[in-house]
Amino acid sequence: MTDNHRYCVIMCGGIGSRFWPYSRTDRPKQFIDFFGTGRSLLQMSYDRISPLVPKENIIIVTNSHYAPLVKEQLPELNDDQILLEPARRNTAPCIAWAAYHIAARDPQASMIVTPSDHLITRDAEFEKSIRLGFNFVEKHDALLTLGIKPTRPETGYGYIQIGQPVEDDVLKVKTFTEKPDLDLAKVFVESGEFFWNSGIFLWSVKSILEALHNYAPDLTSTFDHGLAAFGTPEENAFIQREFPGCVNISIDYAVMERASNVYVECVDFGWSDLGTWSALYENSPKNRDSNVVQNCQVLAYNSSGNIFAVPGNKLVVVNGLHDYVVADAGDVLLVCPKSEEQHIKQYVNDVKLSYKDKYL
């Protein structure tokens, strides 16, 4: 199969509430340049995939609210490469729409599905892994996920238990486990049998549509109802009408945990999902006091292990602060121990209750 039949779907609709207050409803984290490179996480995702699939085969699925941001950051895309969801319905409906959309254009297509907000530091290894993955799913009726060797007992990730090797770095999947507690995560890491689920998938359009029909028939019955609309000017009107009624479910729960033809490719390309301030801290350069300073001015005395994300026109002066997140978004200042950052989603909920959407 030639590269012309290879597609990429970049999922770009999330709010990124764990990065509040930097990540806001009107400009979530995927649109932010966290590393001062001049490229946002979305743009870095696009740059990374561009050598692997034709640029006209890159499709962004995002919330309709973010259409102007996508067009601003990726002006090279045509309108038909940006699928605008009228409502947030998690990854299964998102992937289903993209698969129907691509199938109408190219029934022989294979596709990679990737989030827009991950960090990957070893691009050459990434390219090698994705080419191997494409070759595998083009030869087999397979649903392939990329597995990351765990470096710690992380409770915020899903885990994949590996089974028998199939070829190269591809193995059969035994089980999926979503976000285990700490004790179970420790057992998983010590066993050597478990990999983190990266949330990056490869499959042929034919295989994923068949799996969706088998395991998520409520979803496919909605899309089958409008089969004639895909690939035509009627597609958008159909989606506007029907998509909000789709079940809110992840592709992991809807398909991957239930299908029998699921495989994992074990990869090592410097992956982080950048889901939290601590993940950003770990992946950022640190000064001699182990502080991370995100494009801002800081004078820190007797302070270590902090991450400062503050507008560049403001000077931060701290004394005696250790292992904190200090994030200033203009109208919101967050000061929170890194060890307590799992509560940020609760802070966001409390802010919504007290102030509605003013600070979100």
Side-chain angles (χ1 to χ4, degrees), residues 96-115:
W97 179 16
Y100 276 83
H101 177 85
I102 292 168
R105 174 173 160 182
D106 182 359
Q108 297 181 65
S110 55
M111 58 194 274
I112 176 173
V113 178
T114 178

Side-chain angles (χ1 to χ4, degrees), residues 11 89-97 99 113 143 145 176 178 197 199-201 203 208-209 211-212 215-216 219 248-259 262:
M11 299 181 291
R89 286 296 176 269
N90 215 317
T91 54
C94 163
I95 289 168
W97 179 16
V113 178
L143 308 176
T145 183
F176 281 90
E178 263 303 298
N197 183 3
I200 302 173
F201 307 102
W203 39 55
I208 189 59
L209 287 178
L212 285 163
Y215 303 108
L219 201 51
N248 186 325
I249 189 170
S250 74
I251 196 69
D252 299 277
Y253 285 131
V255 171
M256 301 300 282
E257 294 182 11
R258 304 171 67 194
V262 180

